Amino acid sequence: MDASAAETLKRDSDGLRGTLRDSLADAVTGSLRPGDQVLLKFHGSYQQDDRDLREERRRQKLEPAYQFMIRTRTPGGVLSPAQWLQLDAIASRYAERGLRITTRQALQLHGVLKRELKPTLQGINAALIDTIAACGDVNRNVTVAANPLQSAVHASVFAQAAALSEHLLPHTRAYYELWLDEERIAGGDDAESHYGATYLPRKFKIGFAIPPLNDVDAFAQDLGFIAVLEPRDGRDVLVGYNVVAGGGMGATHGDADTYPRLGDVLGFIHSGDVIATAVAVLTTQRDFGNRSDRKRARLKYTIDDRGLAWFKGEVERRAGFAFAPPRPSAFDHNGDRFGWVDGEDGRAHLTLAVPSGRVRDDGDARWQSGLRALALLLRDSEGVQFRLTPNQNLTLAGIPAALRVRVDALAAGHGIDTWRDATPLQRDALACVALPTCGLAMAEAERYLPALTAKVDALLAAHGIAGAPLHLRISGCPNGCSRPYLGEIALVGRAPGRYNLMLGADHRGQRLNTLYRDNIDEAQILAALDPLFARYATERATGERFGDFLVRAGVIAAPPARTIPLRLAS
Ligand code: SRM
Ligand code: SF4
């Protein structure tokens, strides 16, 4: 849909209701009307079709195998074990492909049929989780550092992020009427104070990071809040945030007007100013974002088109205060910390390495059964949380010491204690969903990842550097859902079996990678990596990571990294 059609559709949608009720009631097709497919996104669901079946269905003169993906709004990815069990039960009943943890700390349910959309959404809401604004031209699921080490700070940051997520929800009651049978109040006021009648020009994303961990990839967000901590009385306390704006990953092959971009540092704010800052940034983008070309409609282009100084000034004017100079801050890692970590309060946290976030029983690794068993064990323990990480993994947080042995036994018994023996490459790798559900996929990603990492691991071993830590990310197209442009090695899909090979990001989420080889197949990818691994094995400095080595050795000319303070708005 082109931009002007999308803008008209939003404006005339009767508060995102459109003709969804009629589309859903139409039993002749498994599809929705085109306009309703767009509006459905604002309710947290995408119409898709099973691409593995497309050709066969076409031959049989059948319509595509339409099905729906549903995405939760779970700020910071926090669920109770009881909620996990409820979603597991709903997914088992309605979602052909079960639960999938996303790169934004949400759960996706794939393969839901049209007639089962409503019961599925009702089931999710019965678990006190909703899907409002999980997709669409609005603020999406707010991501939050999943670092369990600093739990007091984590709790404060999480509370702010959850409050912000609520604050930025659309006001329309359409969701409650369509899916939860709320009566429409005659003359009810759907006015969208933050969004207006046409919502945002495009999606909008916010993430909260707590250094030294950059698991949310703060510089890839439209708006990133990087917590500033200061030691007081022997422990770290939250004093405010360094704010970054204008990050984004998406691009289009062959279109130089589109590109991945890291956010710029705007400055420091006190923690009480989070909501005012977010509203100022969001409404600036609402009013000045490009509404005539959806490919150029993200905040990153608004900033590049109008200038960073203008943008910062506009945000300050709207917020009613000026940014202070950023406080020093540094990240050391943008992956997860796997295995057991002791918390401040005597409880422990276990981060499991879930391959591509896919929760299913697969051979010896019985993720669905194992996590169900763990949720049953933990559901009566107060304060235990299932935390989805922004790297598609799962942290079982707040486990009482007395249960640790049983948790270990259950994880081992179900073959999901992969944090112990998976290689660093496998544990940290990210793959987007891609085929068969993603309508935009040009190549495989999630389904190809295990075979790919096995081959790359073998290559590392052949050079005597088995187990070297390495962030590899793969996406089935240039939209960048696995944040591939921040991978030390990344494959970006071009066509079936063919990828762009990108190299040289750091492992902190502060430097983008660079195109190294265009449109190559697996044999060419491995052949390209082979001599680089050989050099890395012999020439690397102590502790030097692969991405940093490639830049130092001059293999690639990397774009400048974001550190704080660096590239400050004037
Ligand atoms: Fe994404 C579109 C999956 C995180 C950038 N993304 C899609 C769609 C909905 C395809 C579509 O529009 O038809 C994919 C559905 C696939 C499927 O079958 O499930 C999809 N995106 C995902 C997920 C599930 C990837 C994953 O494997 O975990 C992530 C869900 C996040 C969530 O829970 O909200 C996901 N997508 C991202 C991220 C990473 C992030 O946000 O941290 C990005 C890059 C950051 C950014 O937004 O720039 C991302 N997705 C895109 C884009 C490019 C947007 C752009 O402005 O350039 C698209 C295409 C679009 O919007 O037109 C897209
Ligand atoms: Fe689909 Fe492309 Fe996103 Fe992968 S990166 S999920 S292929 S839109």
Side-chain angles (χ1 to χ4, degrees), residues 80-82 84-85 340 347 350 369-382 384-386 396 398-412 414:
S80 67
W84 181 272
L85 288 170
W340 287 98
R347 290 176 172 238
L350 173 64
S369 311
L371 293 176
R372 189 181 294 155
L374 284 162
L376 283 167
L377 172 72
L378 297 168
R379 75 173 157 187
D380 296 325
S381 298
E382 204 172 323
V384 172
Q385 291 175 343
F386 274 42
L396 308 181
I399 298 175
L403 287 180
R404 214 169 141 150
V405 173
R406 288 172 71 190
V407 166
D408 263 336
L410 275 180
H414 289 86

Side-chain angles (χ1 to χ4, degrees), residues 30-31 47-58 62-68 96-97 111-114 436-437:
S31 161
Q47 180 174 313
Q48 303 182 317
D49 72 284
D50 187 329
R51 294 182 59 183
D52 285 348
L53 303 180
R54 249 186 213 176
E55 191 47 33
E56 180 57 25
R57 307 253 323 169
R58 197 187 56 75
L62 294 169
E63 72 172 14
Y66 291 122
Q67 48 175 246
F68 293 82
E96 195 191 347
R97 293 173 205 272
V112 178
L113 297 177
K114 182 169 89 170
T437 52

Side-chain angles (χ1 to χ4, degrees), residues 301-331:
Y301 303 117
T302 313
I303 295 177
D304 280 350
D305 290 348
R306 292 180 177 261
L308 183 58
W310 169 86
F311 174 73
K312 185 181 170 199
E314 183 64 25
V315 170
E316 288 177 331
R317 194 183 64 73
R318 289 171 185 238
F321 55 80
F323 289 99
R327 306 270 175 101
S329 173
F331 289 125

Side-chain angles (χ1 to χ4, degrees), residues 6 11 32 81 105 137 196 212 288 345 352 367 405-406 419 437 478 524:
R11 191 195 60 213
L32 302 177
Q105 297 176 296
D137 295 345
F288 294 98
D345 53 2
L352 301 165
W367 284 99
V405 173
R406 288 172 71 190
W419 78 89
T437 52
Q524 293 166 306

Side-chain angles (χ1 to χ4, degrees), residues 41 46 48 69 71-72 100-108 110 134 140-141 202-203 205 216 220-222 247-251 294-295 298 300-301 356 392 431-434 437-440 446 479-483:
K41 297 180 188 180
Y46 277 73
Q48 303 182 317
M69 174 270 274
R71 187 183 284 168
T72 62
R100 165 67 154 66
I101 304 169
T102 75
T103 50
R104 292 196 69 76
Q105 297 176 296
L107 284 168
Q108 283 192 177
H110 290 102
R140 303 286 188 91
N141 198 39
R202 210 57 167 82
K203 58 178 73 167
K205 299 182 173 178
V216 304
Q221 309 285 330
D222 290 281
M249 294 279 101
R294 287 183 67 80
K295 283 196 188 314
R298 293 292 292 274
K300 57 185 175 181
Y301 303 117
S356 298
Q392 303 171 328
C432 72
V433 176
T437 52
C438 180
L440 305 177
E446 180 185 324
N479 282 314
C481 299
S482 55
R483 299 187 290 271

